[in-house]
Amino acid sequence: MIAELQDIKKHYNQALSGRQKPVLDGVSLQIGENESIAVTGPSGSGKTTLLNILGTLDRPDSGTVILNGMSVPKLNESELARLRNGFIGFVFQLHFLLPQLSLIENVLLPLMPLHDKLARRAGRERAMRLIERMGLQDMINQKPSGLSVGECQRAAVVRALVNKPGLLLADEPTGSLDTETAARLGILLSELKKEERISMVVVTHSPELAARMDKIFRLGSGKLLPINKA
Ligand SMILES: Nc1ncnc2c1ncn2[C@@H]1O[C@H](COP(=O)(O)OP(=O)(O)OP(=O)(O)O)[C@@H](O)[C@H]1O
Ligand SMILES: [Mg+2]
């Protein structure tokens, strides 16, 4: 098991009424090595919340997150940071590229903490290969303001993969892509999973992308339930 959620509960306080709004009501999930999982569900059902908790960007009210054999509540800040930088690749629902940096600079950002020159060079070569597979090679010097939303999204996927993460967490990675580009990204993710034994949890509204994953779950009313693949 590469990652696990155990009975995760999370609520938010509603601003006006002050009432508690349960979002995750006892969610458990096991992610095996080299396993890909799709999470679907209506808008507002808690998919981003679930992904943020799994990626240690948010804390649950109760329940346990286990990543790479380590229980997250027991880790200190520096251990957490190492886990986030080295083990997890994150593609956010909004891409969060830094506006002042070019595409290639944004993509290489995760390599900054690496001190080893060889590792950095290998990372750069890997980034260039991924950029070509995403069809972004002619845009590497553009700033995000000079890229389309879909191009930014593809760049964000490259950035998440640059460090060869053990676990890729992607929040609607094909949300702003046309059908053909979305399909290309779906194929690329399946290929990377095969080539690198990467595990992934992908939040998506796209039935095509979900169908490319090993397992499909649906989040609704705070519960995560498996869906049989057609
Ligand atoms: N920081 C917050 N404070 C209060 N409520 C929040 C907060 N973050 C999320 N919520 C609420 O929690 C619920 C789940 O939000 P979340 O972003 O996880 O949904 P989602 O499934 O990702 O939706 P979408 O498909 O639209 O991205 C929503 O009703 C949202 O309004
Ligand atoms: Mg969301």
Side-chain angles (χ1 to χ4, degrees), residues 43-44 46-49 93 171-172 203 205:
S43 179
K47 305 182 295 299
T48 297
T49 304
Q93 194 163 9
D171 203 347
E172 304 210 24
V203 168
H205 289 294

Side-chain angles (χ1 to χ4, degrees), residues 114-130:
L114 295 182
H115 295 300
D116 180 359
K117 268 194 173 162
L118 278 178
R120 278 171 88 146
R121 184 184 313 153
R124 272 202 300 276
E125 286 167 5
R126 175 176 166 78
M128 283 313 297
R129 282 198 302 277
L130 289 165

Side-chain angles (χ1 to χ4, degrees), residues 44-120:
S45 60
K47 305 182 295 299
T48 297
T49 304
L50 177 107
L51 221 52
N52 285 344
I53 289 174
L54 187 54
T56 76
L57 301 175
D58 198 356
R59 281 171 187 278
D61 300 335
S62 65
T64 306
V65 181
I66 297 171
L67 289 173
N68 208 14
M70 292 176 280
S71 175
V72 169
K74 298 199 178 114
L75 302 178
N76 63 34
E77 268 311 311
S78 74
E79 290 169 321
L80 262 184
R82 212 169 324 132
L83 199 61
R84 276 190 212 117
N85 294 336
F87 179 68
I88 298 173
F90 226 118
V91 181
F92 296 96
Q93 194 163 9
L94 305 168
H95 59 74
F96 288 125
L97 298 180
L98 297 179
Q100 66 274 35
L101 300 185
S102 68
L103 188 157
I104 187 74
E105 289 166 337
N106 264 291
V107 157
L108 295 179
L109 221 45
L111 302 175
M112 292 285 281
L114 295 182
H115 295 300
D116 180 359
K117 268 194 173 162
L118 278 178
R120 278 171 88 146

Side-chain angles (χ1 to χ4, degrees), residues 86-185:
F87 179 68
I88 298 173
F90 226 118
V91 181
F92 296 96
Q93 194 163 9
L94 305 168
H95 59 74
F96 288 125
L97 298 180
L98 297 179
Q100 66 274 35
L101 300 185
S102 68
L103 188 157
I104 187 74
E105 289 166 337
N106 264 291
V107 157
L108 295 179
L109 221 45
L111 302 175
M112 292 285 281
L114 295 182
H115 295 300
D116 180 359
K117 268 194 173 162
L118 278 178
R120 278 171 88 146
R121 184 184 313 153
R124 272 202 300 276
E125 286 167 5
R126 175 176 166 78
M128 283 313 297
R129 282 198 302 277
L130 289 165
I131 281 171
E132 275 176 33
R133 285 170 82 166
M134 289 287 180
L136 295 169
Q137 61 278 9
D138 296 332
M139 296 145 207
I140 58 170
N141 295 318
Q142 298 270 14
K143 302 251 165 73
S145 57
L147 298 168
S148 75
V149 176
E151 287 160 355
C152 288
Q153 208 166 36
R154 281 180 278 159
V157 173
V158 175
R159 183 179 57 184
L161 290 168
V162 145
N163 264 347
K164 269 205 176 196
L167 177 63
L168 177 73
L169 304 177
D171 203 347
E172 304 210 24
T174 62
S176 359
L177 301 181
D178 63 83
T179 324
E180 195 182 314
T181 318
R184 257 214 325 266
L185 179 55

Side-chain angles (χ1 to χ4, degrees), residues 194-205:
K194 259 193 229 137
E195 291 164 21
E196 304 190 345
R197 302 190 58 74
I198 213 170
S199 303
M200 55 184 82
V201 179
V202 177
V203 168
T204 184
H205 289 294

